[in-house]
Amino acid sequence: MRLNVIDMPARFPAQIATGQMMSVFPRVINLVLGTDRDMRSVATIDARDGAPLSPGTARASAPPDLDFSRRIRPGSAVAVRAGILRIQNADLTFDFRGAAPMPWRDGQNDGQDKPQYNQKRFSTGWFDAWSSFVYTPEPAGFAAALVADEERSAFNRALVRRVRTHVPELMHASVVADLPVAWASLQQLLGMGPGLTPSGDDFATGYILGFGQVSRKPDRIEFLQGLTQAARNRSRNSTDVSRAYLEHAGAGRFSVPLTALVEAIMSHAGNLPARLAGVFRLGHSSGRDAAFGILCGLAVGAPELCAHVVTKLDNPYLQEKIPR
């Protein structure tokens, strides 16, 4: 069976390449092409209905009853020849020859072409998004640090302690553009948490996006460039999929649900709840962690917002509980 691919992911070698299948889900697969760790490319093929436009992800047209996990084994060899992706021992091929290049522009963290925003509308939008985020049931990942202490596993207790310690440090350091302190704090978060992309890496992606929107002064732009470069270098120690997303974030490429959420917050758009819900649908906890990172990154642009987040995280016995 040959499936047509709609999008050409950034850095996807469409001519000649070999690699390996990493993980397989019913409608999503992750693969790596190339053998040199510093040069290889990670790609995702997503056949879900309404799959979001994301860097490094190719959306594919597939029959609704097609289940990748029944046809493809993780670890299988893959090869690209003349725009056709083939998988060892699988009766599936993916045709990239008609795929459209994705509309990503590198260098979005350079401070250029950023629209001006109304501070009052931005603050109102941020508080509305924050309230929706805090009061969403079933907190996962880093969001657990915003919930009153309950019975947790030892792993989750350690995760919460790290979030409450190092996220405020990161935000304080970002306000004054102190790169050494900010990087020391972010290093304590990267790789933390469960999942194919750990919570700390998803948070970092969102933080880079959010902080980039409110960084207009030269010292903050330079600070953000240094922080993102450090995160990209450190990401070599993370999972391949997570490393790929951090590299895209460092180049200013983000999933459309994330950028749509930022736009809704900045303008206090009426569809803000729907856009936040769209981010939550990105993985089990990946979307929530990225949304938390976005909110923290944006908060650095306004003292009252930054203080609000830090106050919540500094308090080990939060008074508010998410309603069940």
Side-chain angles (χ1 to χ4, degrees), residues 25-285:
F25 304 93
R27 302 289 285 182
V28 179
I29 58 175
N30 294 297
L31 57 105
V32 61
L33 295 169
T35 56
D36 186 333
R37 183 169 177 80
D38 292 330
M39 297 297 294
R40 63 187 181 180
S41 174
V42 175
T44 298
I45 299 179
D46 193 335
R48 295 173 298 174
D49 291 338
L53 189 65
S54 299
T57 297
R59 294 174 296 177
S61 299
D65 59 344
L66 179 61
D67 185 339
F68 291 148
S69 64
R70 294 185 177 183
R71 293 172 176 255
I72 303 172
R73 290 185 177 182
S76 298
V78 301
V80 177
R81 296 289 187 276
I84 304 295
L85 173 69
R86 295 177 172 84
I87 304 169
Q88 182 183 34
N89 298 325
D91 59 345
L92 279 178
T93 60
F94 295 88
D95 190 344
F96 282 80
R97 292 175 298 180
M102 289 191 175
W104 309 115
R105 181 179 71 84
D106 287 1
Q108 291 182 4
N109 292 331
D110 58 8
Q112 301 296 321
D113 303 325
K114 290 181 181 177
Q116 296 296 319
Y117 60 92
N118 180 282
Q119 185 66 41
K120 184 176 181 180
R121 289 184 65 84
F122 162 53
S123 295
T124 304
W126 186 93
F127 273 112
D128 281 356
W130 176 264
S131 296
S132 297
F133 180 80
V134 171
Y135 287 106
T136 299
E138 299 181 8
F142 279 16
L146 295 167
V147 185
D149 285 329
E150 299 173 353
E151 291 186 6
R152 294 190 176 102
S153 66
F155 174 84
N156 286 329
R157 288 197 300 270
L159 183 65
V160 165
R161 284 196 300 270
R162 188 165 294 200
V163 171
R164 290 178 176 172
T165 299
H166 297 293
V167 169
E169 290 177 351
L170 172 63
M171 296 179 70
H172 280 308
S174 298
V175 168
V176 297
D178 187 334
L179 182 56
V181 173
W183 174 231
S185 301
L186 186 58
Q187 282 190 88
Q188 298 300 315
L189 301 172
L190 291 174
M192 286 293 296
L196 191 61
T197 56
S199 294
D201 297 6
D202 293 321
F203 172 86
T205 297
Y207 190 84
I208 290 169
L209 172 58
F211 185 75
Q213 298 303 304
V214 294
S215 301
R216 300 172 187 273
K217 296 181 180 179
D219 62 331
R220 283 196 173 181
I221 294 173
E222 183 178 358
F223 164 84
L224 180 58
Q225 290 172 341
L227 190 64
T228 54
Q229 184 59 50
R232 291 170 72 181
N233 292 339
R234 170 64 172 78
S235 69
R236 294 173 184 173
N237 298 327
S238 188
T239 66
D240 283 319
V241 175
S242 187
R243 177 172 62 88
Y245 277 112
L246 282 172
E247 288 179 352
H248 286 303
R253 301 185 292 260
F254 302 91
S255 297
V256 167
L258 302 186
T259 57
L261 174 60
V262 170
E263 291 170 0
I265 294 173
M266 301 289 283
S267 62
H268 193 206
N271 61 353
L272 178 54
R275 292 193 177 187
L276 185 61
V279 171
F280 284 171
R281 288 194 289 270
L282 298 175
H284 174 64
S285 63

